[in-house]
């Protein structure tokens, strides 16, 4: 078996979700279609609620920032209170969400709404999150060895907790010491990793970040975080240069902690 030695200074393992702990297919074939199929009805049902209005407010602010982008879908400022006005607004939000999702955008506004929508599906038991078989045993082992395990995903913290709380392996939320999402910064920006280290109360070189996306690995590495690129079935291919440059793992069981035999 291939083994990747974890440097002795590492005390924190920071995990990406999609493509690392969880198959991309689960996200693309189950989570995302749920949003596209239900967003209109969700907005119609929850429109008057504070949480929904906050989500729409964030999406509108994001739409303003995106106005210069090709194909961007605007969300007009709130008009009157007529039924037709509301339906038009809801349609604009639906179109904006679908446009963002067609580009797999990772905006905080989109991810916040998605998290709120998945809440109902997970709580009702209509969905269970998939994790690769090696994830839970490895995380348990790391924690027994004294490692802290944190999550950093573009999915909102609320969505992350839903996945870990309602998984095919049961409720595994207790295996995670903390969660980060794009509110701390985007995953392709090195500053985000410095902020995460600060927030955890350590140095960036105490962290090992596991991700499937080399742009994320590169940003983390620029901040002096240790990185390994996770190769899973269904992930995007890597170039030969990337394969040579990065430490690769196909299973968490390939990580060898300094104290482990
Ligand atoms: C954790 S929520 C579901 C996945 C998601 O919406 C997403 O954007 C995943 O991004 P990641 O950073 O985990 O690759
Ligand atoms: Mg990922």
């Amino acid at each position: 078996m291939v083994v990747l030695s974890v440097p002795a200074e590492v005390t924190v393992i920071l995990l990406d979700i999609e493509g690392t702990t969880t198959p991309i297919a689960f996200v693309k074939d189950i989570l995302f279609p749920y949003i596209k199929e239900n967003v209109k009805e969700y907005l119609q049902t929850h429109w008057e609620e504070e949480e929904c209005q906050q989500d729409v407010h964030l999406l509108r602010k994001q739409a303003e920032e995106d106005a210069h982008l090709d194909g961007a879908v605007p969300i007009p400022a709130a008009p009157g209170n007529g039924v037709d006005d509301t339906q038009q607004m809801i349609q604009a939000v639906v179109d904006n969400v679908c446009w963002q999702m067609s580009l797999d955008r990772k905006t905080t506004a989109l991810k916040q709404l998605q998290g709120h929508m998945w809440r109902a599906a997970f709580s009702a038991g209509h969905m269970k999150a998939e994790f690769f078989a090696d994830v839970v045993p490895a995380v348990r082992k790391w924690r027994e060895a004294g490692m802290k395990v944190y999550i950093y995903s573009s999915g909102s913290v609320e969505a992350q907790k839903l996945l870990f709380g309602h998984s095919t392996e049961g409720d595994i939320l207790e295996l995670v010491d903390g969660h980060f999402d794009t509110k701390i910064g985007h995953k392709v920006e090195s500053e985000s990793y410095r902020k995460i280290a600060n927030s955890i109360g350590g140095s960036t070189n105490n962290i090992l970040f596991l991700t499937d996306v080399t742009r994320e690995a590169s940003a983390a590495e620029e901040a002096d975080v240790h990185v390994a690129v996770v190769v899973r079935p269904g992930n995007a291919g890597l170039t030969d240069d990337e394969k040579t440059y990065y430490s690769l793992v196909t299973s968490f069981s390939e990580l060898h902690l300094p104290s482990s035999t």
Side-chain angles (χ1 to χ4, degrees), residues 148-167:
K148 298 274 183 208
V149 177
Y150 285 81
I151 305 298
Y152 183 27
S153 168
S154 301
S156 68
V157 166
E158 188 170 355
Q160 297 173 24
K161 289 182 176 170
L162 285 168
L163 265 65
F164 280 79
H166 304 82
S167 87

Side-chain angles (χ1 to χ4, degrees), residues 16-18 27 31-32 106 111 114 118 153-155 159-160 163 187:
D16 163 64
I17 293 181
E18 182 185 2
V27 177
L31 287 181
F32 287 176
K106 305 285 189 186
K111 295 294 158 188
Q114 288 176 335
W118 288 322
S153 168
S154 301
Q160 297 173 24
L163 265 65
K187 294 174 76 186

